[in-house]
């Protein structure tokens, strides 16, 4: 009986966490949905591919761009390319790999849906990437990262995707997550993230 109750409790918590809502950040006025799905309806405009990180190449792979820098460069590239072509878009969407999609919303903007997204998970852990939980949360600790070995051994010609960078954070807190000491991660900028405990799940 106790096992059934525990299973139900875990299931309810998992469902609640999978439906966590976030308020996303903006870059140059463009909403960024990184591992997050907008609650608004939208249409895909186009997809931009990543390019070689020359800053990493020139330093032999020892210096790599942060996730927020990668996102910012994507957005600036899209804005430059699409403005020249007369194409307008409202937001960018990233799910995996090294591509980012420009989208345009097709429904009406309201105070309750503007910049709001349902977050995704990495290794089962909810990630708020360049976004903030709508619910209240408690800071637990800071998560750092190490050298990106893929970039180092290729002298900077190959770099991690955003998803691969985030997985490094997930691996560092998976034990605490399993023990219930943390229940989500927030990444805002730079090369560190924070683990948090969301209240009232």
């Amino acid at each position: 009986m106790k096992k059934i109750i525990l299973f139900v409790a875990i299931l309810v918590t998992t469902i609640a966490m999978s439906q966590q809502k976030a308020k996303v950040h903006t870059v140059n006025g463009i909403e960024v949905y990184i591992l997050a799905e907008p609650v608004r309806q939208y249409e895909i405009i186009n997809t931009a591919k990543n390019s070689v990180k020359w800053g990493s190449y020139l330093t032999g792979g020892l210096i790599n761009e942060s996730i927020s820098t990668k996102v910012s460069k994507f957005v600036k590239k899209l804005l430059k390319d699409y403005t020249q072509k007369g194409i307008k878009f409202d937001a960018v969407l990233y799910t995996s790999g090294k591509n980012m999609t420009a989208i345009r919303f097709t429904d009406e903007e309201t105070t309750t849906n503007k910049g709001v997204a349902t977050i995704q998970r990495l290794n089962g852990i909810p990630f708020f990437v360049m976004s903030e939980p709508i619910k209240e949360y408690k800071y637990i600790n800071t998560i750092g990262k190490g050298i990106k070995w893929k970039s180092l051994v290729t002298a900077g010609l190959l770099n991690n995707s955003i998803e691969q960078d985030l997985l490094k954070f997930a691996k560092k807190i998976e034990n605490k997550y399993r023990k219930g000491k943390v229940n989500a991660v927030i990444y805002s900028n730079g090369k560190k993230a924070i683990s948090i405990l969301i209240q009232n799940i």
Side-chain angles (χ1 to χ4, degrees):
M1 185 65 177
K2 287 182 179 179
K3 289 183 178 179
I4 294 174
I5 293 172
L6 179 61
F7 172 76
V8 171
I10 292 172
L11 182 62
V12 169
T13 301
T14 300
I15 293 172
M17 286 305 297
S18 66
Q19 297 174 340
Q20 280 293 318
K21 295 293 189 293
K23 187 76 172 178
V24 302
H25 297 179
T26 60
V27 174
N28 289 1
I30 300 296
E31 295 174 7
V32 291
Y33 293 84
I34 313 299
L35 292 179
E37 181 70 16
V39 297
R40 297 181 62 186
Q41 296 177 3
Y42 62 88
E43 61 183 358
I44 294 174
I45 303 302
N46 210 337
T47 299
K49 292 185 178 180
N50 202 358
S51 58
V52 172
K53 303 294 182 300
W54 293 110
S56 176
Y57 174 69
L58 293 173
T59 60
L62 289 174
I63 298 175
N64 292 273
E65 295 173 339
S66 67
I67 295 165
S68 55
T69 300
K70 289 177 182 178
V71 173
S72 180
K73 285 193 172 184
F74 265 124
V75 172
K76 287 178 181 177
K77 182 179 186 301
L78 287 170
L79 280 170
K80 180 180 178 182
D81 293 347
Y82 292 174
T83 298
Q84 292 174 348
K85 297 175 183 177
I87 301 172
K88 294 183 178 180
F89 63 100
D90 301 313
V92 293
L93 183 67
Y94 173 85
T95 53
S96 63
K98 295 188 177 182
N99 297 332
M100 191 167 289
T101 302
I103 62 174
R104 181 187 297 132
F105 294 117
T106 57
D107 59 359
E108 185 179 351
E109 178 186 298
T110 67
T111 54
T112 56
N113 69 16
K114 179 176 173 56
V116 177
T118 303
I119 64 157
Q120 297 178 17
R121 292 166 173 254
L122 281 174
N123 280 12
I125 302 170
F127 264 74
F128 292 84
V129 187
M130 297 182 73
S131 65
E132 289 279 331
I134 289 179
K135 289 186 177 180
E136 291 184 7
Y137 64 90
K138 178 183 177 183
Y139 165 85
I140 302 300
N141 72 321
T142 299
I143 315 165
K145 291 197 301 180
I147 292 175
K148 298 174 186 174
W149 292 107
K150 179 189 292 185
S151 180
L152 181 60
V153 299
T154 60
L157 288 174
L158 292 178
N159 290 270
N160 287 337
S161 68
I162 291 171
E163 183 182 23
Q164 289 169 328
D165 284 344
L166 291 168
L167 280 169
K168 290 180 179 291
F169 293 133
K171 289 176 182 177
K172 289 192 174 184
I173 66 152
E174 55 188 1
N175 287 335
K176 288 185 178 180
Y177 178 76
R178 281 198 297 266
K179 294 176 181 178
K181 294 181 179 179
V182 302
N183 59 17
V185 171
I186 294 178
Y187 170 83
S188 295
N189 54 51
K191 296 189 176 182
K192 293 182 179 180
I194 64 170
S195 62
I196 63 171
L197 199 59
I198 298 176
Q199 310 295 312
N200 303 318
I201 293 176

